[in-house]
Amino acid sequence: MSADAATAIETTQVVAFRLDGRLFGVDIRDVKEVNEEVAITRIHHAPRNVSGYLNIRGQIHLVVDLRVEFCFESAPSGPSSRVIIFKSSIDEPFGVLVDSVEDILEIDSSRLVDRRSKEGANDPGSELRQARKELCLGVYPLPKELLMLLNVRGILPKEEN
Amino acid sequence: MSDEISLMDEFLGESREHLERTENDLALLEREGEDPDGELVRRIFRAVHTIKGSSGFFGFVKIGSVAHAMESLLDRLRSGSVRPCKEVLDILFEGLDRLSGLFADIENSNQEDTKELERRILSLVPQEPKAERSCACVQKSSLEPVPQEVLDELPCGHHLYRLTYDLCAMERERKIGPMALIERLLSFGNIYEGSLESAGSRNLREGIPDAVRYGLLYSSVLEKFLVTEAVMLPDELVEEIAYATSSPDVLASLISLKGNGSAPPAADLPAVQEGERHSEAEYLKVRLDILDKLMALAGELVLVRNQQLMIADPDNAEARGITQRLDIVTSDLQETIMRTRMQPIGGLFARFGRVVRDLGRKLGKEIGLETVGSDVELDKNILESLVDPLTHIVRNSCDHGIEEPQARERRGKARNGTITLRAYHEGGQINVEIQDDGAGIDRGAVRRKVLEKKLKSEEELNALSDPELLGLIFLPGFSTSEQVTDVSGRGVGMDVVKSNVEELGGVVEIQSEEGKGTCMRLRLPLTLAIIPSMIIETCGQRFAIPQINLEELVKLYDEDVLHKIECAGAREVYRLRDTMLPLVQLQELLEKPDAFDEDTRRESTERHRKQRQQRHAEFLAAAQSGAPIPWSLSFAVLKVGESRFGLIIDRIVGTEEIVVKPMHRVLKELPIYSGATVLGDGHVALILDVQGIARHCGTQMDESERMGDSEVADDSAEHHHLLLFRNRPEEQMGLPLGKVSRIERIRMSEVESIGEREFITVQGVSTRLLRLDRFLEISATPQREEMYALFPKSSAHPYCLLVPELVDIGEYEFTMDIENYRHPGVDGTGLIAGHLTVIVRPEAIARMAEPEWQWEEA
């Protein structure tokens, strides 16, 4: 649904962030806020990609570690680490832990390359292909590097029913 | 439109409440027999009357006419011309059922045929000589005189109102013209007199006046609080001026009033109770989601308050004062909002009057219901979830508990049995008890049934204490009823009761004395949203444990850590008073996402034992060097139903009232958490699910791990003649004396070996030497030069057991526990002089060692 929306609209604003040096982005319309608070409570027995719980103004958010999601080496959160919190309309409260948040970029949706249809040499890396397909909407060529646009709704597993 | 829907909802909700209350009242009435409490009858009458009135308003004619027939009968009951005999009560119950049925499918209720029932109800209403007028008017204060003709014509049960409309405003604001208004009024009442007057000039040539006042006398069955909504007028423009009742005593008093002109005595005035209607007006219907939201906000405020308390500067008196007030106000607010969700349990109890009555009748038993503590309040959600478990237990009590009247008489009890529902507060939680004075639970039947259904073996049963035996009725697929009745005994039930209550964070306890009765106690939290908890720390992370699961805290110091924790097979146990308490390390639990099995437990038990020994050595060394290092171990004793286990934690932080937040949907399947909460410092803490942990670690299987803690268990304790020996200082073992022929002290240097097999020559016979640690799950036997060989009696093959240290020979009294340590080479375990002792079966060990030998079938 969001994939359609992304291609139908001419320009899209994305929040760009980095994981293991690589550039990623999510549609700004899905983002509620970017939080510097990274005092995350670990949840033992949770799936590996779950970083833990984070309290933001009394509301408990599930935080997904995108590094694990993309099979990067896990790294401790540093001073530039941020949690991107998504809007409550998407799912129960949750966000993603990223290495750093870069900027808000305006991208031309028509130039977005659906990664699944074109697996060129410019792909940001084969390990990314192993990540779940529904997570990636496509690759966007910036002047200096590529940005992978993520589908926020593909981060958490779908509800059973 | 939405107003109408909400009015309709209100009507349905209220009618349901009336039906429920009436059902209970009828059951009460039945118990009171021939001489009923007048107020009770009046209450039933009023409820049916209200249903009749409001159903007429919504056009549910069949409900109205059934209610009308019932009302007629109730009226006679009220006046005393009909006695509440069985026939009358039965038909009233039937009528009530019919009403419930009609309400259940309200849309199609008008298509139902209720004539026959109405006829039968009315057939019980005696025909009385027709009075000139069968009802009487009670006039209320009115500023303007009411014409006598109107009062005379007022139909029975109708209220007379004076309504004052501003027709212009009606047209303007409600878009209702005069004709539409009159039509609407006629749809649920009668109009008697109307008068029209326009404000100011009567000369309409000056244009339409600002206001046209339309005053009218209007009668309706609706009571005032309903009529104001129906006629679309604010309260102050509706004046109730009379009420026509059909009560003969009122009639009499009015006749006398007419006759001699004196005022009737005040006490004879009918109970057109302003007071009662007033009490209804004190309630306000609030939407549940708004309450939920309020509750959530109060929860947030508690968090803010907790944070504020933490950062408050203790030196700043002003700030401290403000913080204190914030603290008090928040607590009050939280408590008050919580109370909005609380409802008296009486409403739930009331349902059972009917259940017990019907079941008693069906089963041919005489059963009464008593309720105690109906005003105890519980969270609405908990109350709703209690319906099923309570129904089940009450049905069981009626069916299996209370005996037939003859049987009761034979036992010297009153013919009629009593089921008591009792609710009371205890230690910040609510206890709900269902007690009967029936036959009690037949232990023999429980045993038979368990064996028959192969839920447990004979040996396992023997090892159970009495409470544990009773606890078996919670096993899935259990039912003790000798024959299946349609009341209960379908084999589903008590296990569902247990899981329902546990889902609420509660526990079920049973007490039962054969011949005297059974008492089921449900211990429940006050509310699901905010719970008192203990905050503990492990792995540098804090966790909350609900107080309701917490029995006590134990801290062991110094060498007790080594000596008080014993190993029982694959398990670590602590002897808490006379109970063996299985221990679980929280840290270990957190590190192992897969459910524990026997191997996991054995591996960790062994590892912990080694760690403790190493720590002990360090402790001793430090103590000797004069710089002792303190050594301690804390664990929380947690209860799961009838069983307990100890959860070893690093540190106790304190207690806190926590606001429970459910787990995120993707984590719902994690068994060890029941939710999460935000602590005072803003960090998230997970709430441990004690039941889930017990399942995850497999502590729950070992209900028999508790030993000898009840009188009954003592009674069943057996006497054993044993030779006690030790493998290691903390591993005591025993051998039945009858199986030992002699003991020899041997030197290990004399032992010869062939491959894996070791032999010792005693009295010229080469005897196979068996090391216990090769066959049993015990620690490695320490190497010593001098050891003992135990020779078995009556063995066709020469063998002996090697043991490092003898303890004693004697007669010991203990209950053999076979559940605790199951192994072919072991008879069971027992508690001897405070030590867990493994009773060894030598012949089985020899058979394991030498399967080739010729063995007689044991």
Side-chain angles (χ1 to χ4, degrees), chain B residues 518-587:
Chain B
T518 304
C519 179
M520 295 266 176
R521 184 181 301 123
L522 316 183
R523 302 161 79 89
L524 300 160
L526 274 173
T527 170
L528 298 178
I530 299 181
I531 54 170
S533 293
M534 184 181 66
I535 311 295
I536 55 108
E537 193 180 277
T538 282
C539 306
Q541 204 176 321
R542 279 167 299 168
F543 296 90
I545 301 176
Q547 210 94 52
I548 196 161
N549 297 117
L550 185 68
E551 193 110 289
E552 62 184 298
L553 295 162
V554 178
K555 194 164 185 180
L556 301 177
Y557 290 97
D558 302 340
E559 291 199 284
D560 276 356
V561 180
L562 182 73
H563 298 311
K564 291 274 175 76
I565 295 180
E566 298 175 57
C567 302
R571 244 174 243 289
E572 285 175 283
V573 293
Y574 172 76
R575 185 171 172 244
L576 180 68
R577 289 177 286 278
D578 285 328
T579 313
M580 275 298 156
L581 189 75
L583 295 177
V584 173
Q585 283 213 356
L586 179 56
Q587 185 186 346

Side-chain angles (χ1 to χ4, degrees), chain A residues 39 41-47 50 53-55 57-62 91-94 156-160, chain B residues 300 303 307 541 543 589-590 592-593 661-667 670 672-673 676-678 682-684 686 696:
Chain A
T41 301
R42 185 177 162 199
I43 306 166
H44 293 85
H45 296 196
V50 169
Y53 271 148
L54 178 63
N55 164 34
R57 295 184 299 278
Q59 193 164 32
I60 297 178
H61 291 73
L62 181 77
D91 208 316
E92 288 179 24
F94 84 109
L156 294 179
K158 294 267 177 292
E159 230 159 327
E160 293 288 311
Chain B
E300 302 311 335
L303 296 178
Q307 284 165 16
Q541 204 176 321
F543 296 90
L589 162 73
L590 294 173
K592 293 184 173 157
K661 310 261 182 171
M663 292 297 279
H664 194 280
R665 68 166 180 85
V666 301
L667 300 176
L670 299 183
I672 65 166
Y673 308 116
T677 189
V678 179
H683 278 77
V684 178
L686 291 148
H696 189 85

Side-chain angles (χ1 to χ4, degrees), chain B residues 590-625:
Chain B
L590 294 173
E591 286 162 2
K592 293 184 173 157
D594 296 322
F596 288 18
D597 59 12
E598 195 70 16
D599 289 337
T600 327
R601 281 195 289 270
R602 183 172 314 117
E603 184 270 325
S604 44
T605 300
E606 182 65 14
R607 186 158 39 81
H608 295 157
R609 201 176 57 77
K610 288 204 177 113
Q611 280 168 0
R612 273 196 301 275
Q613 274 169 353
Q614 192 183 339
R615 185 73 197 268
H616 183 231
E618 288 167 18
F619 171 79
L620 287 180
Q624 270 165 13
S625 70

Side-chain angles (χ1 to χ4, degrees), chain B residues 157-175:
Chain B
H158 271 232
H159 299 261
L160 187 66
Y161 298 101
R162 188 190 304 284
L163 311 179
T164 312
Y165 284 96
D166 176 359
L167 292 180
C168 295
M170 285 303 280
E171 178 95 47
R172 222 170 27 239
E173 288 156 21
R174 303 244 189 178
K175 301 273 176 288

Side-chain angles (χ1 to χ4, degrees), chain B residues 417-438:
Chain B
T418 306
I419 294 176
T420 309
L421 297 176
R422 188 181 296 117
Y424 57 96
H425 287 262
E426 188 187 70
Q429 61 196 46
I430 302 277
N431 289 359
V432 178
E433 288 181 357
I434 305 94
Q435 189 177 6
D436 67 56
D437 62 352

Side-chain angles (χ1 to χ4, degrees), chain B residues 650-661:
Chain B
D650 289 357
R651 196 166 73 84
I652 296 153
V653 179
T655 57
E656 205 170 302
E657 296 251 305
I658 58 165
V659 182
V660 180
K661 310 261 182 171

